Amino acid sequence: MGTAEDTAGGETQAWGEVTPDAARRLLVAAVEAFAERGYHATTTRDIAGRAGMSPAALYIHYKTKEELLHRISRIGHAKALEILRTAARREGAATERLADAVSSFVRWHAGGRTTARVVQYELDSLGPDARAEILALRRQCDAEVRGIIEDGVSSGEFDVLDVKGTTLAVLSLCIDVARWFTVDGPMTPDEVGALYADLVLRMVGVAK
């Protein structure tokens, strides 16, 4: 099974590790509220209401609104890292691994666009310690993609003058999908993933 297939599923699938059920319901409600209204405009009352619970019930599971955002961001970034690491460390040429990484990462951002918007665009809402933890995960994501590109340059598959800059461009391209993708659009997550994989291979100089 390819990595892209591994990332199939609905937006709530990623939260299966959050227990008990009340904590998961609150977290899903927070994702929806943060994506719709933004972190700072969302209140704990908003989150509890979406979950069908009282504001007091929220504090049983999460001490603060920031704790909710931190947990969402940590789980989301861990999943993103898992997707990229799986693609980067599979057997095969750098061309195949980069295409797999991009298509899978794009599929995750399109299929889980609500979660991805919160994970990718609310970083500055976290306090210093939580933000530092998430930045460390982001650096690991960057390292996985950069490693594939470096392998491709070394093997002669890629023609890249600036590996660091190209890595940033690839990740930015993938992440932006969460901002514009809609289920009513002309393309499915799989189709967008395939398109972006092709675009990125052209970016690194792979002849088609």
Side-chain angles (χ1 to χ4, degrees), residues 109-194:
H109 281 84
R113 60 206 166 277
T114 304
T115 298
R117 281 199 297 271
V118 176
V119 168
Q120 299 293 3
Y121 296 117
E122 289 287 0
L123 176 64
D124 288 340
S125 298
L126 292 171
D129 292 343
R131 188 172 186 274
E133 179 186 356
I134 301 307
L135 284 174
L137 287 170
R138 287 196 176 195
R139 285 192 292 270
Q140 291 180 63
C141 290
D142 179 279
E144 295 296 342
V145 175
R146 186 172 65 249
I148 301 174
I149 296 174
E150 288 172 344
D151 288 347
V153 172
S154 296
S155 67
E157 296 170 67
F158 301 159
D159 182 13
V160 174
L161 295 178
D162 182 351
V163 171
K164 183 178 179 180
T166 301
T167 300
L168 176 60
V170 170
L171 288 170
S172 298
L173 193 68
C174 296
I175 289 168
D176 193 57
V177 170
R179 183 184 57 79
W180 62 261
F181 184 85
T182 66
V183 293
D184 298 325
M187 301 179 74
T188 67
D190 281 334
E191 290 169 337
V192 179

Side-chain angles (χ1 to χ4, degrees), residues 31-204:
V31 169
E32 294 171 353
F34 293 158
E36 180 182 315
R37 306 187 62 184
Y39 174 79
H40 292 293
T42 298
T43 66
T44 54
R45 184 175 294 277
D46 294 331
I47 296 167
R50 283 175 182 261
M53 302 167 67
S54 69
L58 184 148
Y59 295 109
I60 296 173
H61 303 283
Y62 303 99
K63 295 178 182 178
T64 63
K65 184 176 70 168
E66 185 190 344
E67 183 180 332
L68 261 168
L69 178 61
H70 183 204
R71 190 165 192 193
I72 291 164
S73 191
R74 185 174 62 241
I75 293 173
H77 278 86
K79 181 60 179 176
L81 178 58
E82 177 190 353
I83 290 168
L84 294 173
R85 183 169 286 165
T86 298
R89 301 187 183 185
R90 59 170 283 193
E91 293 188 5
T95 298
E96 297 170 348
R97 289 185 285 127
L98 184 60
D100 190 21
V102 170
S103 62
S104 300
F105 203 41
V106 165
R107 180 188 174 97
W108 183 74
H109 281 84
R113 60 206 166 277
T114 304
T115 298
R117 281 199 297 271
V118 176
V119 168
Q120 299 293 3
Y121 296 117
E122 289 287 0
L123 176 64
D124 288 340
S125 298
L126 292 171
D129 292 343
R131 188 172 186 274
E133 179 186 356
I134 301 307
L135 284 174
L137 287 170
R138 287 196 176 195
R139 285 192 292 270
Q140 291 180 63
C141 290
D142 179 279
E144 295 296 342
V145 175
R146 186 172 65 249
I148 301 174
I149 296 174
E150 288 172 344
D151 288 347
V153 172
S154 296
S155 67
E157 296 170 67
F158 301 159
D159 182 13
V160 174
L161 295 178
D162 182 351
V163 171
K164 183 178 179 180
T166 301
T167 300
L168 176 60
V170 170
L171 288 170
S172 298
L173 193 68
C174 296
I175 289 168
D176 193 57
V177 170
R179 183 184 57 79
W180 62 261
F181 184 85
T182 66
V183 293
D184 298 325
M187 301 179 74
T188 67
D190 281 334
E191 290 169 337
V192 179
L195 171 63
Y196 275 48
D198 180 71
L199 291 172
V200 167
L201 291 183
R202 293 174 187 274
M203 182 190 300
V204 297

